[in-house]
Amino acid sequence: MINFAIVGCGHIANKHAEAISNAEGANLIAVCDTIPEKMEPFVEKYNVEPYTDLKELLTREDLDVINICTPSGHHTGIAVQAANAKKHIVVEKPIALTLEDADTIISACKENNVKLSVVHPNRFRPVMMELKKIMDDDKLGKLSHANATVRWNRNQEYYDQAPWRGTKALDGGVLMNQAIHNLDLLLWVMGDAEEVFSMSATRLRDIEAEDVSTGVVRFKNGALGVIEAATTIYPKNLEETLSVFGETGSIKIGGRTANFIEHLNIEDINDESSNDIIEGVKADPFGKPGHQWIIEDMAKAIVEDREPVVSGEDGRKALSLVLALYESAETNTPVKIN
């Protein structure tokens, strides 16, 4: 049994606690927050030990993994302390808000020989695993382009829940907070990005960062991509889509949270088989929760002494793409991705 502790007891910590409690081979033993009241529901529900001092928590010899659920701008300091204490790390997306901080986290984990996983749970949706299988089998042939769309609503009340929401120093905007999952998926199925051009704006929400963004990307394989992300959709979430087009096939994944195959036409897959894939996804569109996949994978990675499926480098790539889009929007020029 691998023992986990959660640092930061805000909204997302609930998903982590539930995932750990349901995960095979995982056990939640502690929570940590500077505000004791935030820990009370976790202590009552999961019978865990509360800590207001991170250093004290990290001295526990029976603790294996730290789940970092604090605002994004605080990830780095906590991760470095945890790595130096020889604790493995599961960190919420984004891994950090700068590449320098991401590299600091990755280096600290490598130097201390601890494992690092970034929470990009959308990869584990049944529909996304079907898409990855199609892409890995090269069923679409030479790729033409892809499209990622996030048309969601996050009203002013959402941003007013906490003073750090929507700030550039601790949170970021729609690209960094919501659409980074979709950018991770784009990179996962299309390969590394090479160049971007983007425009963004803060149109409807009273925040520092952007609430709407559009951009184009050129992948290293020559294919193009289109990105649209917004939290300005009235009055509620409309759709999240991921489409991929190639020489011998096309596929569109959609729904309010991209859980269904809306179009599938591939040269090597007949209509009956295509329908079986579509209906198979429809029968269980949500599957095992993505956070539970991440937790179980970390537990297995420790036991098997391997890298987690979603690594620190994966988290860095998604962050790098977001930051390139930000730089392009600020400078009004194309930006190469290193």
Side-chain angles (χ1 to χ4, degrees):
M1 190 68 70
I2 303 299
N3 290 329
F4 289 74
I6 295 172
V7 179
C9 292
H11 171 73
I12 199 64
N14 292 290
K15 280 193 174 183
H16 283 252
E18 184 176 359
I20 296 167
S21 66
N22 292 328
E24 182 180 344
N27 182 39
L28 181 63
I29 64 171
V31 292
C32 181
D33 200 290
T34 56
I35 303 174
E37 293 77 19
K38 287 189 174 184
M39 295 186 285
E40 290 175 0
F42 296 90
V43 173
E44 293 175 5
K45 185 173 182 179
Y46 299 102
N47 191 30
V48 294
E49 190 77 17
Y51 291 83
T52 56
D53 186 347
L54 177 62
K55 291 181 180 179
E56 183 182 358
L57 170 63
L58 293 175
T59 62
R60 288 191 59 160
E61 293 185 1
D62 61 341
L63 176 60
D64 301 300
V65 186
I66 292 290
N67 285 37
I68 301 176
C69 299
T70 61
S72 304
H74 294 314
H75 288 177
T76 308
I78 296 169
V80 170
Q81 289 185 68
N84 289 339
K86 310 301 181 183
K87 309 302 181 186
H88 305 288
I89 297 168
V90 173
V91 59
E92 261 296 336
K93 59 76 191 169
I95 182 174
L97 294 180
T98 69
L99 292 181
E100 291 80 7
D101 281 350
D103 289 339
T104 296
I105 294 173
I106 293 170
S107 295
C109 290
K110 288 182 178 178
E111 290 169 5
N112 288 283
N113 195 30
V114 297
K115 303 186 187 304
L116 171 64
S117 181
V118 183
V119 179
H120 283 294
N122 294 8
R123 293 188 184 192
F124 301 100
R125 291 174 179 171
V127 71
M128 296 303 173
M129 289 192 280
E130 286 291 345
L131 172 61
K132 189 62 164 63
K133 191 185 306 180
I134 289 170
M135 300 299 292
D136 286 347
D137 290 342
D138 198 26
K139 293 294 186 181
L140 302 189
K142 185 177 181 180
L143 297 176
S144 164
H145 66 292
N147 180 286
T149 302
V150 182
R151 293 171 176 160
W152 283 357
N153 174 277
R154 294 293 184 271
N155 58 25
Q156 193 60 45
E157 290 181 1
Y158 167 84
Y159 292 105
D160 290 343
Q161 290 178 77
W164 56 268
R165 288 191 182 273
T167 64
K168 293 182 179 180
L170 295 178
D171 189 26
V174 62
L175 282 178
M176 189 72 81
N177 199 347
Q178 285 82 26
I180 193 169
H181 287 304
N182 309 83
L183 301 186
D184 172 69
L185 292 174
L186 267 182
L187 296 171
W188 192 45
V189 299
M190 297 295 290
D192 291 346
E194 183 175 72
E195 185 178 19
V196 301
F197 182 78
S198 178
M199 293 184 183
S200 65
T202 309
R203 295 291 295 165
L204 303 182
R205 307 298 177 234
D206 183 18
I207 58 176
E208 287 182 354
E210 82 289 349
D211 58 14
V212 59
S213 176
T214 59
V216 292
V217 54
R218 185 188 307 278
F219 297 96
K220 288 187 176 180
N221 59 19
L224 303 180
V226 179
I227 299 163
E228 177 195 338
T231 53
T232 57
I233 307 304
Y234 179 85
K236 58 185 179 181
N237 290 0
L238 175 62
E239 63 180 344
E240 175 188 359
T241 66
L242 178 64
S243 303
V244 185
F245 305 96
E247 188 176 14
T248 56
S250 57
I251 181 169
K252 179 184 178 183
I253 293 169
R256 188 170 292 182
T257 53
N259 289 101
F260 302 93
I261 298 176
E262 296 185 346
H263 172 82
L264 178 62
N265 197 322
I266 297 174
E267 186 177 78
D268 288 346
I269 301 179
N270 60 38
D271 291 344
E272 182 178 354
S273 297
S274 294
N275 188 65
D276 287 343
I277 294 172
I278 293 170
E279 293 301 317
V281 169
K282 193 181 296 184
D284 185 20
F286 301 101
K288 184 191 300 183
H291 281 74
Q292 186 175 335
W293 275 104
I294 295 286
I295 298 301
E296 289 183 349
D297 177 65
M298 173 58 85
K300 290 176 182 177
I302 294 171
V303 172
E304 298 168 5
D305 192 23
R306 60 165 174 82
E307 280 293 300
V309 171
V310 187
S311 66
E313 285 77 7
D314 290 330
R316 188 192 190 281
K317 285 183 179 181
L319 173 64
S320 181
L321 181 52
V322 171
L323 294 176
L325 291 165
Y326 278 168
E327 182 182 347
S328 177
E330 290 173 2
T331 61
N332 196 34
T333 59
V335 171
K336 295 279 189 180
I337 297 179
N338 187 343

